[in-house]
Amino acid sequence: MSDSIWAGVDEFLSSALVGPDAALTGALAASDAEGLPAIAVSACQGRMLEVLARGVGARRILEIGTLGGFSTIFLARALPADGRVITLELNAHHAAVARRNVDAAGVGERVEIRVGAALELLEEIERHAAGPFDFSFIDADKANAAAYFSAALRLSRPGALIVVDNVVRKGALLDEASTDENVRGMRRLVEQVAAEGRVTATVVQTVGAKGYDGFLIAVVEK
Ligand code: SAH
Ligand code: DHB
Ligand code: MG
């Protein structure tokens, strides 16, 4: 089996289930034209975030790593009209592109983009008691994933979901001797979550347009 059959099936499924969607294709085209890297979640993965956020009745969502706002659009669509996504992005250019994309998608009123290093922004969110959140999506620098998970957990309501992207990295997760900071970060995350009594968690391995990877999905205990 190859990446090409995974990509073909992904294309079939996203056409069938997500469909042609001008907001989504427009967001990807604008991100590409502005030189952003093509590392957004796939459409089916974005829809998974939307389904999970809807499933917990999310009204407040935290996203760490905005890029051009592709995943943000799905998260915002999961919200009622008075719901909010707070999304954190280090790169001001990425944030500016995301602002235009979420506005063009008609969900701009539900999206607050904060620019800066996520660890600092999270401290500020905790200081100002801007939580609790019903759903968190962690998708920024992988070396800090465990620290982001801790912060998201402190900011979560009981029953909230926390989802982390890019945990499996083509199987590199298995390499305990890896010197790759991304891999080490994800190994630390899994160890930390395994030892964390306040969540029940799993990792779902995925294939598709983005190759072989996986999501950690955790529910915060009541
Ligand atoms: N969630 C997006 C993809 C995010 S890509 C989607 O699926 O559409 C990762 C993003 O995290 C990049 O835009 C990068 O600039 C941002 N990032 C990297 N380090 C960061 C940090 N320390 N704080 C906040 N954002 C960071
Ligand atoms: C990368 C980051 C991501 O969030 C992703 O989903 C895929 C790739 C990266 O930095 O290479
Ligand atoms: Mg990702």
Side-chain angles (χ1 to χ4, degrees):
M1 265 209 283
S2 67
D3 282 31
S4 83
I5 194 159
W6 303 339
V9 171
D10 209 341
E11 172 60 33
F12 167 71
L13 292 173
S14 55
S15 297
L17 297 172
V18 185
D21 186 317
L24 297 175
T25 50
L28 289 182
S31 299
D32 192 47
E34 290 289 344
L36 274 54
I39 56 174
V41 292
S42 69
C44 282
Q45 292 174 342
R47 176 57 67 75
M48 180 192 81
L49 298 174
E50 182 180 348
V51 167
L52 292 174
R54 283 269 294 281
V56 292
R59 306 182 69 83
R60 298 187 53 78
I61 294 177
L62 173 66
E63 179 178 59
I64 305 175
T66 316
L67 191 65
F70 188 74
S71 52
T72 317
I73 292 170
F74 286 96
L75 293 169
R77 286 176 174 175
L79 290 168
D82 63 344
R84 285 291 173 275
V85 185
I86 297 181
T87 183
L88 314 182
E89 175 54 55
L90 180 64
N91 183 306
H93 179 57
H94 294 184
V97 173
R99 180 80 262 160
R100 290 200 294 277
N101 285 338
V102 298
D103 288 347
V107 295
E109 281 180 15
R110 281 173 254 163
V111 177
E112 186 183 330
I113 303 172
R114 297 195 184 177
V115 180
L119 283 176
E120 288 167 27
L121 296 173
L122 286 163
E123 252 178 49
E124 188 178 292
I125 289 170
E126 290 189 64
R127 259 200 321 275
H128 292 90
F133 294 94
D134 309 298
F135 187 95
S136 297
F137 178 48
I138 297 172
D139 191 21
D141 49 321
K142 311 310 169 190
N144 281 318
Y148 296 151
F149 189 92
S150 295
L153 179 55
R154 289 193 297 271
L155 285 163
S156 289
R157 67 147 162 93
L161 293 185
I162 303 174
V163 176
V164 187
D165 194 17
N166 310 116
V167 173
V168 176
R169 303 307 284 243
K170 302 189 194 307
L173 181 67
L174 269 187
D175 182 2
E176 56 187 40
S178 178
T179 55
D180 181 335
E181 262 312 303
N182 300 316
V183 175
R184 295 168 68 90
M186 288 310 179
R187 289 183 61 89
R188 271 198 306 278
L189 171 73
V190 172
E191 269 169 39
Q192 177 183 306
V193 169
E196 174 54 71
R198 287 169 294 174
V199 300
T200 299
T202 192
V203 169
V204 179
Q205 300 187 71
T206 55
V207 294
K210 297 196 70 186
Y212 169 39
D213 213 326
F215 290 94
L216 183 137
I217 304 177
V219 62
V220 178
E221 293 301 335
K222 307 259 180 195

